[in-house]
Amino acid sequence: MIINNRKIKFAIIGAGHIGKRHAEMIQRNSQAELVALIDVKKDEELNITHFNVPLFSSLDSFLESETEVDVINIATPNGFHAEQAIKCLEARKHVVIEKPIALSKSDAEAVIFKSLQVSRNVFAVMQNRYSPPSVWVKDIVENNTLGKIYSVHINSFWNRDERYYTPDSWHGDKKLDGGTLFTQFSHFIDIMYWLFGDITNIQANFKDFKHQDLTDFEDAGMVQFEFVNGGMGSFNFSTAVWNKNMESSLTIIAEKGSVKIGGQYMNEVEFCNIENYEMPSLEPTNPGNDYGAYKGSAQNHHFVIENVIDVLQGKKAITTNALEGMKVVDIIERIYKASK
């Protein structure tokens, strides 16, 4: 069902840092309308009065209110994503799910099954796909500019300390958070899958150096694998970096050349040396999300909202569909299994 004659109506469940980011992007878009926020906390705790929309204390109470809405954006703790998405789909609403779409492949499959059953869209939020260096690398990989891929190396070295893993937060809780690959680094697993496809022959080694008293899981890992499409890869990560994020980088060594994207958020092309190729000038990357004491990935949520509107107006395809979201969950699940 194409919506062309009015604004697309959005509600958001979860009014924390990311939920508020969604709300801002919706209110800035002339073709979108924010109709409600949903959160268990009170509005004075959440600092959301400036959005000037009703606040509901639960998803059930919002759905029972029969407020007119087309899309519900889910920005709650990871462990709630699948269950809440299915409930929204059962109410015949489209859903936007913050990464990850679920904490297990089976839960992600249940979301997809329900979306097909009710003919509603599921949008997975993977905003790093929109950054200019990512778009450029996708182009040179797909056009075979690099030739055969030999090896791919991803490094993500971030700071997450007691300023992030606070006692009142769901971060660090195994059931609600899922682990560092789900919460911090699923964007980079997504970029890897988007560019190079699925992986196999996974070997993984995880350690918890600094967060024994703060989280239920690892803060560092080294993962090695092979790509189903050819070539091998590694993914090294840490959230134990002192004081601030250090880097996120993607290095590709291929038949016809090599490329490295680096910076804190994969926002800079640091190296490009390709046979008979001159690199184009790229648009600047948006800065990282700033949460005060710690930083997140690039601020590209406005692209996500634009894509939702374009899809519902029949203009474009979904940038990150639920099957791709499920595949990222599947890869992360297999990496965790390989570490045991």
Side-chain angles (χ1 to χ4, degrees):
M1 187 177 67
I2 291 171
I3 303 169
N4 269 330
N5 55 346
R6 59 171 175 80
K7 292 183 177 185
I8 309 289
K9 296 177 185 292
F10 289 82
I12 298 166
I13 175 164
H17 287 308
I18 297 294
K20 286 200 272 272
R21 170 73 58 196
H22 281 249
E24 284 168 20
M25 297 305 118
I26 290 162
Q27 290 198 326
R28 284 184 201 173
N29 193 306
S30 62
Q31 296 175 75
E33 181 187 353
L34 183 65
V35 297
L37 292 167
I38 307 156
D39 202 290
V40 292
K41 293 181 178 177
K42 300 281 187 289
D43 53 4
E44 56 270 18
E45 285 180 83
L46 295 164
N47 188 25
I48 55 169
T49 49
H50 59 290
F51 291 117
N52 203 26
V53 294
L55 173 67
F56 291 83
S57 61
S58 70
L59 179 56
D60 287 338
S61 63
F62 170 72
L63 294 172
E64 284 162 14
S65 76
E66 297 188 349
T67 302
E68 194 181 341
V69 68
D70 303 300
V71 186
I72 300 177
N73 293 26
I74 298 170
T76 52
N78 301 344
F80 297 142
H81 289 183
E83 176 193 340
Q84 290 172 339
I86 288 168
K87 195 172 276 193
C88 295
L89 290 164
E90 283 172 341
R92 302 296 195 273
K93 309 305 175 190
H94 303 283
V95 290
V96 174
I97 313 176
E98 262 297 335
K99 54 82 185 165
I101 69 164
L103 289 180
S104 69
K105 184 185 178 186
S106 58
D107 281 354
E109 283 173 338
V111 171
I112 292 168
F113 181 76
K114 182 56 69 177
S115 77
L116 293 170
Q117 214 174 33
V118 300
S119 301
R120 292 298 182 271
N121 291 305
V122 174
F123 301 82
V125 176
M126 286 295 179
Q127 73 263 27
N128 282 18
R129 290 189 181 197
Y130 296 99
S131 73
S134 300
V135 174
W136 168 68
V137 172
K138 176 74 168 168
D139 184 57
I140 62 172
V141 169
E142 286 198 337
N143 291 337
N144 203 35
T145 304
L146 288 164
K148 282 184 189 166
I149 303 298
Y150 294 155
S151 64
V152 174
H153 309 273
I154 299 171
N155 292 322
S156 294
F157 304 133
W158 283 17
N159 161 265
R160 289 292 181 267
D161 53 26
E162 61 283 346
R163 295 170 295 184
Y164 177 83
Y165 293 116
T166 56
D168 61 337
S169 170
W170 57 273
H171 295 131
D173 180 287
K174 181 70 176 167
K175 274 191 176 173
L176 294 180
D177 183 315
T180 44
L181 290 182
F182 282 114
T183 305
Q184 267 68 56
F185 302 129
S186 57
H187 288 303
F188 305 115
I189 302 286
D190 173 69
I191 288 292
M192 181 185 79
Y193 172 67
W194 185 54
L195 294 173
F196 308 108
D198 204 355
I199 62 172
T200 186
N201 295 335
I202 302 166
Q203 295 175 296
N205 186 18
F206 288 3
K207 292 281 189 250
D208 189 4
F209 291 111
K210 200 176 183 179
H211 295 90
Q212 291 95 336
D213 300 328
L214 294 176
T215 74
D216 297 335
F217 42 73
E218 78 291 334
D219 64 13
M222 293 182 174
V223 188
Q224 291 182 307
F225 45 84
E226 292 174 19
F227 289 103
V228 172
N229 295 330
M232 61 182 185
S234 66
F235 181 51
N236 302 311
F237 68 90
S238 177
T239 52
V241 175
W242 180 74
N243 193 42
K244 65 179 184 180
N245 287 1
M246 181 177 168
E247 76 162 310
S248 302
S249 67
L250 167 72
T251 302
I252 307 165
I253 296 167
E255 179 185 14
K256 297 177 186 175
S258 305
V259 169
K260 182 179 181 183
I261 301 173
Q264 279 198 48
Y265 315 105
M266 289 196 188
N267 53 336
E268 300 162 13
V269 179
E270 294 186 350
F271 187 86
C272 174
N273 187 30
I274 304 170
E275 181 185 334
N276 299 324
Y277 180 81
E278 192 172 323
M279 191 185 149
S281 57
L282 305 180
E283 294 287 317
T285 302
N286 289 327
N289 282 301
D290 190 335
Y291 304 119
Y294 61 92
K295 305 291 187 286
S297 54
Q299 296 176 23
N300 287 330
H301 280 90
H302 61 291
F303 290 124
V304 176
I305 303 304
E306 281 171 20
N307 183 241
V308 173
I309 292 165
D310 285 342
V311 170
L312 298 189
Q313 290 179 341
K315 294 175 184 172
K316 284 187 181 172
I318 297 176
T319 302
T320 313
N321 63 45
L323 278 170
E324 293 173 300
M326 180 189 77
K327 198 66 208 175
V328 171
V329 172
D330 169 50
I331 289 170
I332 292 172
E333 214 172 22
R334 285 187 284 133
I335 289 172
Y336 275 126
K337 278 179 186 159
S339 74
K340 288 171 184 172

